[in-house]
Amino acid sequence: MKKVLVSNIGMLATPKGNAARCGEEQGKIEILKNAWVLIEDGVIAAVGTGSPEGADGAEVIDAEGKLVTPGLVDAHTHLIFGGWRQNELGLKLHGATYLEIQNAGGGIQSTTNATRSASKEELRAKAEKALDEMMGFGTTTVEAKSGYGLATEHELKALQVIRDLDDRHPMDLIATFMGAHLVPAEYKNDREAYVRLVCEEMMPAVREQGIAKFCDVFCEADTFTVEESRRILEAGLKYGLRPKIHADEIEAIGGSRLAGEIGAISAEHLIVCPPEGIDALAKGGVIACLLPATSFNLGAVFAPARDMVKAGVPVAMATDFNPGSCPCLNMQFVINLGCLKYKLTPEEVLTAVTLNGAAAIGMADRVGSVETGKQGDLVIWDAPDLDYICYRVGSNLAGTVIKKGAVV
Amino acid sequence: MKKVLVSNIGMLATPKGNAARCGEEQGKIEILKNAWVLIEDGVIAAVGTGSPEGADGAEVIDAEGKLVTPGLVDAHTHLIFGGWRQNELGLKLHGATYLEIQNAGGGIQSTTNATRSASKEELRAKAEKALDEMMGFGTTTVEAKSGYGLATEHELKALQVIRDLDDRHPMDLIATFMGAHLVPAEYKNDREAYVRLVCEEMMPAVREQGIAKFCDVFCEADTFTVEESRRILEAGLKYGLRPKIHADEIEAIGGSRLAGEIGAISAEHLIVCPPEGIDALAKGGVIACLLPATSFNLGAVFAPARDMVKAGVPVAMATDFNPGSCPCLNMQFVINLGCLKYKLTPEEVLTAVTLNGAAAIGMADRVGSVETGKQGDLVIWDAPDLDYICYRVGSNLAGTVIKKGAVV
């Protein structure tokens, strides 16, 4: 048995439990001073304060009096894509909107072209570099979506790359099928045929290969209507894929209501989520997966996070890493934005980027908190306390990242 | 003679000249493809494209087809301070303003207390860590202000630390005396006596030790009035200190007009600079040193950068690194904000963070562009082009930083 003791922790800050926390509970975290964590074979065996117990023969990692938290969970990324889109910066500086860029042949379709022409090896090498960087910023679990293939072959290719990366990389990856990211150019005049392709050809193949856990759909003006989204997510359920939904990012066309009705595990973005949408999320037990770096990049408003907490909706936060609206993979920036823009407290933010993120991808029983029985995924921060990592912007404060008990 | 050749540069992007660029000139940079730079004894000896010439016997640094720019110039930092102020985050989340926190015993005065009780060695070690980090993000020249001592002994201590760091660290440091950062608590009821202390005791001592190049003053409601600021900057001129001024950060009380009238080399912040202030800067040939990360951290509006460019004011951008309003030392984030929030073009932004920054601290003859005769200060970016470093948020893209011809 391999024992690892993380000793001399100045402040251990962690939410607790195996499910998402909402309302006042979101901000109730455990803070232990002078703490230690014992990890056996990659799993947390004990957490305590004062003199460590049961740690004979353990390899010791000295936290030097610093802050320790659970490894961060990035519950929403579009990790697998070809190319970048820095050339759209000029268009944006001249005031073009997201949908205008898309309609001008840029946007998701241009990434689709680059993703289709990339080989599996190219996609894997590129995503691997991003995963290394993410882990260097403190992320230890990542959700990754397909959705730039938009053809059966290329959607499967993306999901296979995610599975390969989960095998090869220390990062835990959770795959989401998102064939319904955009109606690709070749189906522009027959969107019904594309919806059928997603539901009747892609989904059975995804199910057969067992390479995705969730089904996501971009429910938005100019992408998929509420009714199309409902059909797609219901079809996903038939194939064992739990629903997620991109809702109310640009216009509130009813995505958050649908999320509540259909029992989605999470709804994403919710930038312009109206009060009745928040009610629907609360009633449906849906986790709000908020993506503040996207609001930052788009120059948009920020999702009504405080209203959601108040209404009892569990709030998670993630990067939305993608080559268009959010070329940011750094969860520390998401933490900063959670305080500065959402006005969440450091405690609420910590829960959002750990336990609630884990719950949003069905992993709250394994990761997202520092508790006996969970995976030994921790970050030792170059920071004395939780406020510090929320307040310092632009520095990488993830001093030591520990995945399943091993320093990465 | 030590020769270094930076070869195989995919894109060399640099402003040109020995003075600040304004108006349309701010965006006119040189872009060379397939370029090389030859550095001899730390100074750029030649720049060209195609096959390098005169490079026999040179140590070769292969840029691998990537983007190269001048090293970044951070023309406004409050580098020397004791403590941090993450504890104020909670107050800010509950809506307290900058001046309210200051009046409640937090703010600059609390940093003053921590700075006074810190030894020179403690201040140096702390600043050295920050300089290492800055350089890792691509900054090769830094302006550093005193201004948390607010007593002759402690202002001199801070400036001596800056001088020591300039000697010991690869970074070039330019020192600014800012005794007029705040009226310290002990002079609260006799501000006139503090202004006299700054002008009649601190300045002569600073001059005698030759440890500052500029004099800065925080001209703002509740700190120093326009008339006090004028007196202080005029006194500085007598002691050979060129004027800089924190103007129009929170309220437009006339600081930008004063900057123009007095011939300040730069005016800082200018978040709420009115049109007549912009005119005054243009007429006075004052460089606008804008600090977008401070607006970001304060949740404030952003300075009218586009209006300034249009009016012919040269725009520089810097971090404002300090423990209160901007605990960010990363010039790459400033670059992102320059595009996303100021709506400057990538070319205008590059000039702002290199040549115009250099000009704002009197260093444009030595740094700020990649040209023959200037210091060999370069960054090889993990990026194919200039747009890319403006667009990617949250990653450290400074692959290789070269200071005076040496990789740091």
Side-chain angles (χ1 to χ4, degrees):
Chain A
M1 185 170 62
K2 173 139 176 74
K3 280 190 184 185
V4 174
L5 176 72
V6 183
S7 69
N8 195 15
I9 299 171
M11 174 188 279
L12 174 65
T14 181
K16 296 187 81 172
N18 289 344
R21 311 293 298 231
C22 64
E24 287 186 8
E25 297 298 314
Q26 171 133 14
K28 288 191 183 152
I29 63 170
E30 179 165 86
I31 300 277
L32 298 177
K33 304 284 178 81
N34 186 21
W36 51 268
V37 177
L38 182 66
I39 303 168
E40 292 179 357
D41 288 337
V43 175
I44 296 171
V47 179
T49 58
S51 295
E53 291 155 30
D56 296 347
E59 174 198 336
V60 176
I61 300 172
D62 184 350
E64 297 174 344
K66 295 175 181 172
L67 171 72
V68 168
T69 71
L72 307 179
V73 178
D74 191 347
H76 182 133
T77 83
H78 300 263
L79 180 69
I80 309 300
F81 56 86
W84 292 94
R85 302 222 303 270
Q86 69 267 36
N87 59 315
E88 291 176 10
L89 183 66
L91 297 170
K92 288 181 195 162
L93 289 175
H94 290 94
T97 67
Y98 187 68
L99 292 176
E100 280 166 0
I101 289 170
Q102 189 170 295
N103 293 338
I108 294 172
Q109 181 66 44
S110 73
T111 296
T112 292
N113 300 341
T115 304
R116 287 177 178 174
S117 50
S119 70
K120 228 189 244 193
E121 292 65 35
E122 287 166 340
L123 292 174
R124 191 168 59 207
K126 182 172 182 161
E128 206 153 21
K129 192 163 179 282
L131 290 176
D132 289 345
E133 244 194 287
M134 288 170 164
M135 206 159 234
F137 288 126
T139 301
T140 50
T141 302
V142 164
E143 186 255 18
K145 301 177 199 295
S146 70
Y148 291 114
L150 306 184
T152 307
E153 169 194 359
H154 298 292
E155 285 295 302
L156 292 172
K157 176 175 73 174
L159 292 170
Q160 287 157 2
V161 169
I162 295 168
R163 183 181 54 192
D164 288 357
L165 287 166
D166 188 41
D167 291 341
R168 296 158 61 111
H169 199 279
M171 189 79 80
D172 279 317
L173 284 99
I174 306 299
T176 295
F177 165 65
M178 197 176 175
H181 196 187
L182 185 79
V183 177
E186 63 271 25
Y187 284 92
K188 209 173 166 186
N189 298 318
D190 191 359
R191 35 189 312 120
E192 173 58 23
Y194 187 69
V195 172
R196 282 206 309 272
L197 183 76
V198 167
C199 298
E200 295 168 19
E201 185 178 297
M202 292 183 190
M203 282 186 194
V206 168
R207 165 62 170 260
E208 195 192 323
Q209 298 193 18
I211 46 177
K213 192 164 168 181
F214 300 101
C215 177
D216 198 347
V217 58
F218 194 0
C219 178
E220 187 68 54
D222 287 5
T223 51
F224 295 93
T225 66
V226 171
E227 275 320 302
E228 287 166 344
S229 299
R230 185 191 300 274
R231 274 175 62 197
I232 290 163
L233 294 178
E234 283 176 350
L237 275 167
K238 274 203 319 191
Y239 291 103
L241 301 169
R242 287 193 68 180
K244 285 177 171 280
I245 180 168
H246 281 55
D248 301 345
E249 179 182 357
I250 302 163
E251 288 181 43
I253 63 167
S256 44
R257 280 202 311 279
L258 174 59
E261 285 164 24
I262 206 168
I265 188 167
S266 65
E268 324 291 296
H269 284 293
L270 301 168
I271 292 178
V272 293
C273 186
E276 59 271 26
I278 295 177
D279 288 347
L281 298 176
K283 280 190 194 117
V286 181
I287 298 169
C289 187
L290 305 185
L291 310 169
T294 307
S295 286
F296 173 80
N297 276 290
L298 294 177
V301 297
F302 286 83
R306 275 248 68 87
D307 295 343
M308 291 171 179
V309 170
K310 198 173 166 196
V313 176
V315 170
M317 297 196 309
T319 61
D320 192 26
F321 177 55
N322 76 71
S325 59
C326 193
C328 170
L329 49 67
N330 184 345
M331 283 290 282
Q332 292 179 48
F333 187 52
V334 170
I335 288 172
N336 299 140
L337 291 170
C339 287
L340 291 173
K341 299 301 172 187
Y342 290 153
K343 309 291 181 190
L344 298 182
T345 65
E347 294 77 13
E348 289 167 339
V349 164
L350 182 68
T351 300
V353 296
T354 56
L355 185 62
N356 283 6
I361 55 175
M363 289 282 282
D365 56 334
R366 282 175 52 194
V367 303
S369 63
V370 181
E371 293 179 275
T372 304
K374 290 219 184 176
Q375 268 180 205
D377 296 358
L378 312 176
V379 180
I380 304 174
W381 297 91
D382 284 333
D385 56 41
L386 183 60
D387 285 354
Y388 189 87
I389 63 169
C390 295
Y391 140 96
R392 288 293 310 277
V393 170
S395 288
N396 181 7
L397 302 173
T400 304
V401 179
I402 298 170
K403 181 69 188 173
K404 295 180 186 165
V407 174
V408 289
Chain B
M1 185 168 66
K2 171 139 177 73
K3 281 189 182 183
V4 174
L5 176 71
V6 183
S7 69
N8 195 16
I9 299 171
M11 174 187 279
L12 175 65
T14 181
K16 295 188 81 172
N18 289 342
R21 312 292 299 231
C22 64
E24 287 186 7
E25 297 298 314
Q26 172 133 13
K28 289 190 182 151
I29 64 171
E30 180 165 85
I31 300 276
L32 298 177
K33 303 284 178 82
N34 186 21
W36 51 268
V37 178
L38 182 65
I39 303 168
E40 293 179 357
D41 288 339
V43 175
I44 297 171
V47 179
T49 57
S51 296
E53 291 155 28
D56 295 349
E59 174 198 335
V60 176
I61 301 172
D62 184 349
E64 297 173 344
K66 296 176 181 172
L67 170 72
V68 168
T69 71
L72 307 179
V73 178
D74 190 347
H76 182 133
T77 83
H78 300 263
L79 180 69
I80 310 299
F81 56 86
W84 292 94
R85 303 221 302 271
Q86 69 267 36
N87 59 314
E88 291 175 12
L89 184 65
L91 296 171
K92 287 180 195 163
L93 290 175
H94 289 93
T97 67
Y98 186 69
L99 292 177
E100 281 166 358
I101 288 170
Q102 189 170 296
N103 293 338
I108 295 174
Q109 181 66 46
S110 72
T111 297
T112 293
N113 300 342
T115 305
R116 287 178 179 174
S117 49
S119 70
K120 231 189 244 194
E121 292 65 34
E122 287 166 340
L123 292 174
R124 190 168 60 208
K126 181 170 183 166
E128 206 153 21
K129 190 160 179 286
L131 290 176
D132 289 347
E133 243 194 288
M134 288 170 165
M135 205 159 236
F137 288 125
T139 300
T140 50
T141 301
V142 164
E143 186 254 19
K145 301 177 199 295
S146 70
Y148 291 114
L150 307 184
T152 307
E153 171 194 356
H154 298 291
E155 285 295 302
L156 291 173
K157 177 174 71 175
L159 292 170
Q160 287 158 2
V161 169
I162 295 169
R163 184 181 54 192
D164 289 356
L165 287 166
D166 187 42
D167 291 342
R168 295 158 62 111
H169 198 278
M171 190 78 82
D172 279 316
L173 284 100
I174 306 298
T176 295
F177 165 65
M178 197 175 176
H181 196 187
L182 187 79
V183 176
E186 63 272 25
Y187 284 91
K188 208 172 166 188
N189 298 318
D190 191 0
R191 33 190 312 120
E192 173 59 22
Y194 187 68
V195 172
R196 282 206 310 272
L197 183 76
V198 167
C199 297
E200 295 169 17
E201 186 177 295
M202 292 184 190
M203 283 188 193
V206 168
R207 165 64 169 259
E208 195 192 322
Q209 298 192 16
I211 47 176
K213 193 167 168 181
F214 300 101
C215 177
D216 199 345
V217 57
F218 194 0
C219 179
E220 188 66 54
D222 288 3
T223 51
F224 295 93
T225 66
V226 171
E227 276 319 303
E228 287 166 343
S229 300
R230 185 191 300 275
R231 275 174 61 197
I232 290 163
L233 294 178
E234 284 177 350
L237 277 166
K238 276 202 318 188
Y239 292 104
L241 302 169
R242 287 192 69 181
K244 285 176 171 280
I245 180 168
H246 282 54
D248 301 344
E249 179 181 357
I250 303 164
E251 289 181 43
I253 64 167
S256 43
R257 282 203 310 278
L258 174 60
E261 286 165 23
I262 207 168
I265 189 167
S266 65
E268 324 293 298
H269 284 293
L270 301 168
I271 293 177
V272 293
C273 187
E276 61 270 26
I278 296 177
D279 287 347
L281 298 176
K283 282 193 192 113
V286 181
I287 297 169
C289 187
L290 305 184
L291 310 168
T294 308
S295 286
F296 173 80
N297 275 291
L298 294 177
V301 296
F302 285 83
R306 277 249 67 85
D307 294 343
M308 291 172 181
V309 170
K310 198 172 166 198
V313 177
V315 170
M317 297 196 310
T319 60
D320 193 25
F321 177 55
N322 76 70
S325 58
C326 193
C328 169
L329 49 66
N330 183 343
M331 284 290 283
Q332 292 179 50
F333 186 51
V334 170
I335 288 172
N336 299 139
L337 292 170
C339 287
L340 291 174
K341 299 301 171 186
Y342 289 153
K343 308 292 182 191
L344 298 182
T345 65
E347 294 77 13
E348 290 167 338
V349 164
L350 182 68
T351 300
V353 296
T354 57
L355 185 62
N356 283 4
I361 55 174
M363 290 281 284
D365 56 334
R366 284 174 51 195
V367 303
S369 65
V370 181
E371 292 179 275
T372 304
K374 290 216 184 177
Q375 268 180 205
D377 296 358
L378 312 176
V379 180
I380 304 173
W381 298 92
D382 283 334
D385 56 40
L386 184 59
D387 286 354
Y388 189 87
I389 62 169
C390 296
Y391 141 95
R392 287 294 310 278
V393 170
S395 289
N396 182 8
L397 302 172
T400 304
V401 179
I402 298 171
K403 181 67 187 175
K404 294 178 186 167
V407 173
V408 289

